[in-house]
Amino acid sequence: MISPRRLMYEQSVVYRGHLIIPYIYSEIAQTPIYAYRLLSELGSRSEWHRTNNPAGLHSSRIEGILDIAREHLEAEVSAIPTMDYFKQRYIYKQNLVIISAIADKFFYDHYPPTRLNNIAAPKIFASELACINWVKAGLDRNLQKSASTM
């Protein structure tokens, strides 16, 4: 079973310049009740960036909560960003990593499994592969440290 507090990045979808990320809000009679969080391509310039379930509705199905989020964005977002910021996103050990490039320089945003706080180090890479490998190595090191202290 998925931890109720974990953001389900592997089920996320992009819609109207936002990443819709479902999570289990609660359970009723062993049935999960889903809500969602949003990330915006525009970052903090968007009123919907890092918001928690702005439609205020829930669903007992993941597809249902994604539909609710899409309907909310359809009604609330007039301009659709075209940056395609979420195109290069990866899930590694339940962490969300988004790779971006500007003028052949690569950098990343890193969101842990339980909250939408970008914890990326301010580092620039010469290639997407170098960026991904550095993030993976850092996550592996952190997980090894955590396992050895248990």
Side-chain angles (χ1 to χ4, degrees), residues 99-127:
I99 307 292
S100 301
I102 296 176
D104 294 326
K105 300 292 181 193
F106 294 83
F107 57 96
Y108 72 100
D109 290 332
H110 169 201
Y111 296 91
T114 58
R115 63 188 196 279
L116 283 184
N117 291 343
N118 182 5
I119 58 173
K123 187 161 174 68
I124 297 175
F125 301 87
S127 73

Side-chain angles (χ1 to χ4, degrees), residues 1 5 9 30 41 52 64 72 94 99 108 113 120 123 132:
M1 168 115 196
R5 289 181 173 65
Y9 295 127
Q30 298 180 338
E41 284 188 0
N52 186 24
H72 172 79
Q94 300 180 350
I99 307 292
Y108 72 100
K123 187 161 174 68
I132 291 169

Side-chain angles (χ1 to χ4, degrees), residues 88-100 106-112 118-125 127-143:
Q88 298 297 88
R89 70 181 189 276
Y90 305 92
I91 292 95
Y92 185 70
K93 299 191 177 182
Q94 300 180 350
N95 290 260
L96 174 65
V97 179
I98 303 166
I99 307 292
S100 301
F106 294 83
F107 57 96
Y108 72 100
D109 290 332
H110 169 201
Y111 296 91
N118 182 5
I119 58 173
K123 187 161 174 68
I124 297 175
F125 301 87
S127 73
E128 180 178 357
L129 184 59
C131 184
I132 291 169
N133 288 337
W134 191 85
V135 172
K136 286 171 126 180
L139 285 171
D140 289 341
R141 265 191 317 276
N142 287 341
L143 290 173

Side-chain angles (χ1 to χ4, degrees), residues 1 4 14 16 25 29 34-35 44 56 67 78 85 95 125 132 136:
M1 168 115 196
V14 177
R16 296 181 73 90
Y25 176 76
Y34 298 98
S44 59
D67 289 343
S78 55
Y85 173 72
N95 290 260
F125 301 87
I132 291 169
K136 286 171 126 180

Side-chain angles (χ1 to χ4, degrees), residues 6-37:
R6 186 173 77 77
L7 297 165
M8 300 167 63
Y9 295 127
E10 67 277 4
Q11 301 290 329
S12 65
V13 297
V14 177
Y15 189 72
R16 296 181 73 90
H18 293 78
L19 185 64
I20 304 167
I21 308 160
Y23 68 94
I24 296 175
Y25 176 76
S26 67
E27 281 190 12
I28 299 175
Q30 298 180 338
T31 300
I33 305 300
Y34 298 98
Y36 68 98
R37 301 276 319 254

